Amino acid sequence: MAKDQMQVLNALDVAKTQMYHFTAIIIAGMGFFTDAYDLFCISLVTKLLGRIYYHVDGAAKPGTLPPNVSAAVNGVAFCGTLSGQLFFGWLGDKLGRKKVYGMTLLIMVICSLGCGLSFGHTPKQVMTTLCFFRFGLGFGIGGDYPLSATIMSEYSNKKTRGAFIAAVFAMQGFGILAGGIFAIIIAAIFKSNYDSPSYAVDPLGSTVPQADYVWRIIMMVGALPAALTYYWRMKMPETARYTALVAKNTAQAAADMSKVLQVEIQAEEPVKEEKEKFGLFSNEFLSRHGLHLLGTSITWFLLDIAFYSQNLFQKDIFSAVGWIPPAQTMNALEEVYKIARAQTLIALCSTVPGYWFTVAFIDRIGRFAIQLMGFFFMTVFMFALAIPYDHWTLKENRIGFVVLYSLTFFFANFGPNATTFVVPAEIFPARFRSTCHGISSAAGKLGAIIGAFGFLYLAQNEDKSKADAGYPAGIGVKKSLFVLGGVNILGFLFTFLVPEANGKSLEEMSGENEEEVEANGELEQSGSNNNKTVPLV
């Protein structure tokens, strides 16, 4: 690697933790705060959407979204996210991180507002426009994954890089928490102003017309943090690693980092190398990084199957501990309030602490150990729920079920849910970093789709008459838990394909140092061959 490139990158690697590091965490993290708010707020209002748009006169229970509509409303954002991860991951390597970074926020702002303004009066019209904007919202959110991770990794020093990237991802926990708290406040305000009887007393009157504003307001507020962050994202300089290693403008990289680090970094334009570097999915890429990409993609895929399928058991858990009474005993606004309160408690007790345990320990014990530990304990707790499942269904034992369930969430977040985000941003060359992170995260979202919807059908009761309305018979919750335990075991095993990046520079992990040495060696050899004297015969 050229000396002037090395000077810039070494300055980044050994830089002391400064205000700009925390500024970058907040700027990138607010994107993830918004991502989590927007992705998870739908679960707070799906029951309300069912009551408003799918009420059936004379029915014993309030209206609910039909299975196909529920799958569309919830799943379309995941499909958009997967698409955005692949597209913006690729674009971030082609155009640069900064140029693309603002686009994702603008899409999120526009589509958050669009979700709340979903027009029409018939259920079909409202749900169609909601799905359209939820896809767009997911597309913008998808771009934030590879770009935020890559930007944070390229800004960080090697000593605390893992904690900084994990801190960006940990902002998701605060986003989930904020969604729940805001829904509690809005539901409480509307309930105090427009109180109504329970569904059992007055089925039609239990859902006041003003309830239609509640879900729209909750959706639209997601645009606020994204809009506030846009200005600061546009002020961030391009990362020095992209400028120096991909754009080959070392002088600009040095100038940018001199301002940021507040130290003088001298650099000149490097001599352009004649050797063309290997491309993405070339034989050389596959021999150097193929197993790494397989490892990061498969572990994220398996993790998200297990992580998102856990949400299936929330309704049973909330009912079991009395956090959410039977739907017919509440009015529509009261139900939103109780659901938001329950999800906020779960986030507060297990989701948020798990994220920040990772931030605290990732640079001490390493990514590899945390990921193995997370998959191991998720497996243990899944089997602890599955083997004596009948025991946990008894009313007096349900608190134990909630504790074990919370621990699986805790070790998902103090484990692979965080490390699968961190590692792909550290182990690939700068010119492929964003793309490879996008591929890995898209594999995760494919797992999320399988976890959230495949298991929604799979976990249905084996007796069709006892399955949820509109769903076919499945294999039951107990067998589903065994399957998920097996998924976690596979995640544990595939972790061994992923290298440890703790304490190493990005260039050391990605092999870019070796590439430069090989390229320079070939150039020197070529030059010496050209200068050889040809003997006379």
Side-chain angles (χ1 to χ4, degrees), residues 6-64:
M6 282 295 287
Q7 188 181 1
V8 175
L9 305 186
N10 282 340
L12 282 168
D13 279 336
V14 301
K16 291 180 180 179
T17 300
Q18 299 176 34
M19 185 53 69
Y20 94 90
H21 286 116
F22 295 109
T23 305
I25 289 171
I26 292 167
I27 293 169
M30 283 307 291
F32 266 85
F33 177 95
T34 308
D35 296 348
Y37 180 99
D38 288 333
L39 277 180
F40 288 91
C41 72
I42 192 71
S43 62
L44 301 170
V45 299
T46 44
K47 297 278 189 186
L48 181 61
L49 290 170
R51 283 186 183 245
I52 295 170
Y53 295 105
Y54 292 90
H55 171 76
V56 178
D57 288 330
K61 292 182 180 180
T64 57

Side-chain angles (χ1 to χ4, degrees), residues 97-370:
R97 307 4 172 167
K98 181 188 173 178
K99 284 184 181 176
V100 185
Y101 208 26
M103 292 183 205
T104 60
L105 277 185
L106 284 178
I107 293 169
M108 286 156 61
V109 169
I110 293 165
C111 292
S112 288
L113 295 173
C115 287
L117 295 171
S118 295
F119 52 82
H121 296 289
T122 67
K124 189 174 182 180
Q125 289 172 340
V126 174
M127 294 304 146
T128 300
T129 51
L130 178 59
C131 286
F132 174 81
F133 285 113
R134 288 282 295 171
F135 180 87
L137 183 62
F139 191 67
I141 288 170
D144 237 34
Y145 275 74
L147 292 169
S148 290
T150 300
I151 285 170
M152 202 64 237
S153 74
E154 293 180 347
Y155 263 118
S156 302
N157 59 49
K158 62 183 179 183
K159 187 178 177 183
T160 56
R161 186 179 61 236
F164 289 163
I165 305 171
V168 169
F169 193 63
M171 293 296 282
Q172 276 198 333
F174 290 131
I176 296 168
L177 207 56
I181 291 169
F182 184 72
I184 289 170
I185 293 167
I186 290 297
I189 291 170
F190 273 76
K191 186 175 178 298
S192 65
N193 286 289
Y194 307 103
D195 202 9
S196 58
S198 68
Y199 184 87
V201 174
D202 183 359
L204 198 59
S206 66
T207 305
V208 294
Q210 291 81 2
D212 195 49
Y213 293 118
V214 171
W215 72 268
R216 295 177 186 274
I217 292 169
I218 291 170
M219 292 275 192
M220 291 169 74
V221 163
L224 199 58
L228 292 173
T229 314
Y230 181 78
Y231 170 76
W232 297 105
R233 280 201 180 179
M234 292 298 93
K235 282 191 72 177
M236 289 177 82
E238 181 58 88
T239 70
R241 284 187 159 89
Y242 183 86
T243 307
L245 297 174
V246 184
K248 300 294 181 190
N249 189 345
T250 313
Q252 184 62 50
D256 288 342
M257 288 305 101
S258 293
K259 290 178 189 174
V260 167
L261 297 173
Q262 296 179 337
V263 295
E264 190 64 32
I265 302 173
Q266 295 292 338
E268 297 174 3
E269 285 296 328
V271 178
K272 294 198 175 179
E273 295 131 358
E274 294 173 18
K275 185 189 175 189
E276 189 176 331
K277 292 184 176 181
F278 62 84
L280 186 64
F281 299 129
S282 63
N283 288 334
E284 192 168 351
F285 173 86
L286 293 175
S287 67
R288 287 175 183 254
H289 302 292
L291 285 178
H292 297 162
L293 185 57
L294 181 68
T296 57
S297 299
I298 295 293
T299 51
W300 205 336
F301 171 76
L302 294 168
L303 174 274
D304 273 9
I305 289 177
F307 186 76
Y308 282 89
S309 64
Q310 288 181 74
N311 294 325
L312 301 176
F313 313 117
Q314 282 197 5
K315 66 179 190 303
D316 300 323
I317 288 161
F318 295 157
S319 300
V321 295
W323 286 350
I324 302 179
Q328 60 269 31
T329 65
M330 299 180 284
N331 63 40
L333 296 172
E334 189 179 357
E335 188 174 36
V336 173
Y337 178 87
K338 294 278 176 70
I339 290 170
R341 187 183 64 177
Q343 292 202 9
T344 303
L345 284 169
I346 287 286
L348 202 57
C349 296
S350 62
T351 307
V352 173
Y355 281 126
W356 290 99
F357 263 74
T358 301
V359 174
F361 290 103
I362 192 166
D363 289 314
R364 297 183 188 184
I365 61 178
R367 296 84 167 122
F368 186 75
I370 288 177

Side-chain angles (χ1 to χ4, degrees), residues 426-443:
E426 299 182 301
I427 63 175
F428 299 106
R431 62 188 184 279
F432 308 134
R433 188 168 289 134
S434 179
T435 303
C436 289
H437 196 287
I439 292 167
S440 303
S441 54

